[in-house]
Amino acid sequence: MTPSPTSSSSGRSAVGRRAVLGAAAAIASAPTLGGLATPAAAAPSGRGRRPKALPGGGDLGPNVIVFDPSTPGIQAKLDEVFKKQESAQFGTGRYALLFKPGSYSGLNAQIGFYTSIAGLGLSPDDTTINGDITVDAGWFNGNATQNFWRSAENLAVVPVNGTNRWAVAQAAPFRRMHVRGGLNLAPDGYGWASGGYIADSRIDGQVGPYSQQQWYTRDSAIGGWLNGVWNMVFSGVEGAPGQSFPNPPYTTLNTTPVSREKPFLYLSGSEYRVFLPEKRTDARGVTWGNGTPRGTSLPLSQFYVAKPGVTAATLNEALDQGLHLLLTPGIYHLDRPVQVNRANTVVLGLGYATLIPDNGVTALKVADVDGVRLAGFLIDAGPVNSATLLEVGPQGASADHSANPTTVQDVFIRIGGAGPGKATTSMVINSRHTIVDHTWVWRADHGDGVGWETNRADYGVRVNGDDVLATGLFVEHFNKYDVQWFGQRGRTIFFQNEKAYDAPNQAAIQNGSIKGYAAYKVADSVTTHEGWGLGSYCYYNVDPSIVQHHGFAAPNASGVRFHNLLVVSLGGQGQYERVINDTGSPTSGTSTVPSTVVSYP
């Protein structure tokens, strides 16, 4: 999250800046939908000859609240949850609000921290809210830059006044939504905002970002887009504005090279199932617009439905039995890694289920296998330093997963904020062809347990695997490199970064002879890499005299290409000398004007 720009290109009056950032399957045997074969993994040897010790399926727990159109008191229940969660930025409450197919009228679902709202149909249009699904920033005096960790999915919305307000910052996905009207991404009063992410959604009217500093929209359809502040990126979006970076700052790709939408819970009659959308190449538009979506489906009986308090040993036992994991809302302490070893395993969280590794362990590790889907959970570093928090594939992983990649979607990582936390490297991607689709990897700049050494975290995301694609990469505030990319043929569409605010002095960030660690570093050994729409911001508020040489560093190789880069000094709190390597104009003064490079080299 970031201090605000001084203006937007919408023609509205300038938005003021703040001086200080306040108080960032199982063996899939299910029926095929849309003509696709269900992915299958071979049963482990001998597994069929022993009884399952852990049951699949079952109740979703007290923090999954399910409504149908005849449920009495829906608005009162929505208001009760919102009252608990509105300002509970680092609280322990976790909620999923699920709506059965049908039509609902007169609702205003205000969505607070760690709250997900979702429909239970196979299509968003199966579940219609005649009303609003609202995120605003009244709790923070009209400042939306800390509206993190909330989501809306798989619903149709008919806004009361024609436009729905979704004023969010990072880690707040808007997926698989149909807004039968317009969408306003700014808070009431057009205060500060730092988002955001839309995917697989149709907005019939115009999207108005207003004060939103950056945004990424993927594989969607929109009726129009109003303005841009610093970095607005579109891939595979029908109705997107044309390529025009830096003025207006639109980066537009006609398609998304590879995508596979996030798994979601739905009802088939009275039976809960999890739908697994198929992989698409050169994707454009929504997946659900023409009848039954394409993909496969698993019954809930093939999932171990985990509740807070369950041990990592039990989660691993369930996985070893061939079950998938459904993590119901709450906090899970882990004394050992959750180990996903089987191809096509699904680990799906509801309501921002949160994994906390204890005693310095890694929270979750994935073997070098096909088609694992990790989605919808938060990893919160523990007070004992973990070498890593999430590992996709072991070191040296080399198998080809192009036909059936692993996806990491709405998996968020936090170090500090809710209390002291430490991790050397947060997310490590070793498996080839992995798709990281919307993540926010955040070393906290506010909250509890925050300080240059208190929540020490040197590296955010490290990509060792070849052919990895990141769509919607948000990584902020690490002590050294925020992103390091060692794999060949990597691609990133949209990157948002802030360097660590709390560096005590220039010496603390010195990188050999270079002033500061790049936000996004491509290793010298890489010969092919490409990125579109990447921004890095600095706000060195402890020592505003700090100079960062560049936001981006990469080898000078013909196959290494970048499009539409920017760096910004937020109010003159520190400065950049260059944008990428030794290219690009320096930032200067306190005007918060980006320095841009349209094409590199």
Side-chain angles (χ1 to χ4, degrees), residues 335-426:
D335 64 355
R336 67 196 71 178
V338 175
Q339 181 69 55
V340 177
N341 293 324
R342 182 172 42 85
N344 302 311
T345 298
V346 179
V347 180
L348 176 61
L350 301 178
Y352 285 82
T354 301
L355 308 180
I356 301 179
D358 295 329
N359 303 318
V361 303
T362 298
L364 194 149
K365 296 183 177 184
V366 180
D368 193 22
V369 294
D370 269 1
V372 172
R373 304 183 195 226
L374 308 179
F377 55 89
L378 171 65
I379 298 174
D380 208 349
V384 177
N385 185 74
S386 294
T388 58
L389 294 172
L390 172 65
E391 293 180 17
V392 178
Q395 185 174 357
S398 60
D400 185 324
H401 303 296
S402 56
N404 186 13
T406 285
T407 45
V408 181
Q409 300 178 283
D410 301 347
V411 173
F412 307 118
I413 294 178
R414 178 173 67 197
I415 302 95
K422 293 186 177 183
T424 304
T425 306
S426 289

Side-chain angles (χ1 to χ4, degrees), residues 240-504:
Q243 170 69 38
S244 59
F245 186 91
N247 188 26
Y250 299 149
T251 298
T252 303
L253 286 73
N254 191 51
T255 61
T256 304
V258 187
S259 63
R260 190 176 68 191
E261 297 305 330
K262 179 184 172 186
F264 62 92
L265 190 69
Y266 75 104
L267 278 170
S268 176
S270 60
E271 179 194 19
Y272 282 107
R273 301 183 70 90
V274 173
F275 191 79
L276 308 178
E278 72 165 6
K279 186 188 78 167
R280 298 199 290 171
T281 56
D282 297 322
R284 182 171 173 82
V286 301
T287 63
W288 46 268
N290 296 306
T292 304
R294 295 181 64 86
T296 59
S297 174
L298 295 172
L300 196 63
S301 60
Q302 291 189 15
F303 284 79
Y304 177 70
V305 179
K307 308 288 182 11
V310 71
T311 65
T314 300
L315 296 174
N316 284 328
E317 183 183 352
L319 290 166
D320 189 51
Q321 288 176 192
L323 293 170
H324 306 273
L325 296 181
L326 185 73
L327 305 174
T328 65
I331 294 173
Y332 298 76
H333 280 271
L334 307 174
D335 64 355
R336 67 196 71 178
V338 175
Q339 181 69 55
V340 177
N341 293 324
R342 182 172 42 85
N344 302 311
T345 298
V346 179
V347 180
L348 176 61
L350 301 178
Y352 285 82
T354 301
L355 308 180
I356 301 179
D358 295 329
N359 303 318
V361 303
T362 298
L364 194 149
K365 296 183 177 184
V366 180
D368 193 22
V369 294
D370 269 1
V372 172
R373 304 183 195 226
L374 308 179
F377 55 89
L378 171 65
I379 298 174
D380 208 349
V384 177
N385 185 74
S386 294
T388 58
L389 294 172
L390 172 65
E391 293 180 17
V392 178
Q395 185 174 357
S398 60
D400 185 324
H401 303 296
S402 56
N404 186 13
T406 285
T407 45
V408 181
Q409 300 178 283
D410 301 347
V411 173
F412 307 118
I413 294 178
R414 178 173 67 197
I415 302 95
K422 293 186 177 183
T424 304
T425 306
S426 289
M427 181 185 294
V428 180
I429 307 295
N430 291 318
S431 287
R432 293 180 62 194
H433 302 101
T434 299
I435 301 171
V436 179
D437 175 47
H438 191 227
T439 190
W440 185 40
V441 182
W442 184 59
R443 176 180 167 266
D445 61 279
H446 65 273
D448 294 331
V450 171
W452 184 249
E453 296 296 341
T454 306
N455 62 330
R456 182 84 193 186
D458 282 352
Y459 309 108
V461 174
R462 179 182 176 118
V463 179
N464 295 320
D466 294 340
D467 307 291
V468 170
L469 171 65
T471 52
L473 184 60
F474 299 73
V475 188
E476 297 189 301
H477 305 307
F478 287 84
N479 296 75
K480 292 185 179 179
Y481 290 117
D482 297 278
V483 173
Q484 294 174 287
W485 208 295
F486 293 89
Q488 297 289 352
R489 298 175 298 281
R491 293 175 290 185
T492 295
I493 304 172
F494 181 89
F495 172 67
Q496 186 266 330
N497 165 262
E498 289 177 349
K499 296 303 301 171
Y501 292 179
D502 56 345

Side-chain angles (χ1 to χ4, degrees), residues 117-119 124 150-156 166 172-178 197-203 215-216 218-220 259-264 277 286 288 352 374-376 407-412 435-439 471-472:
I117 185 170
R150 62 199 75 197
S151 67
E153 300 183 53
N154 202 31
L155 289 161
W166 185 255
F174 197 80
R175 284 186 182 269
R176 202 178 171 75
M177 294 289 289
H178 186 187
Y197 176 91
I198 293 170
D200 199 23
S201 293
R202 182 180 298 279
I203 293 92
W215 200 276
Y216 175 50
R218 178 181 64 69
D219 298 355
S220 293
S259 63
R260 190 176 68 191
E261 297 305 330
K262 179 184 172 186
F264 62 92
V286 301
W288 46 268
Y352 285 82
L374 308 179
T407 45
V408 181
Q409 300 178 283
D410 301 347
V411 173
F412 307 118
I435 301 171
V436 179
D437 175 47
H438 191 227
T439 190
T471 52

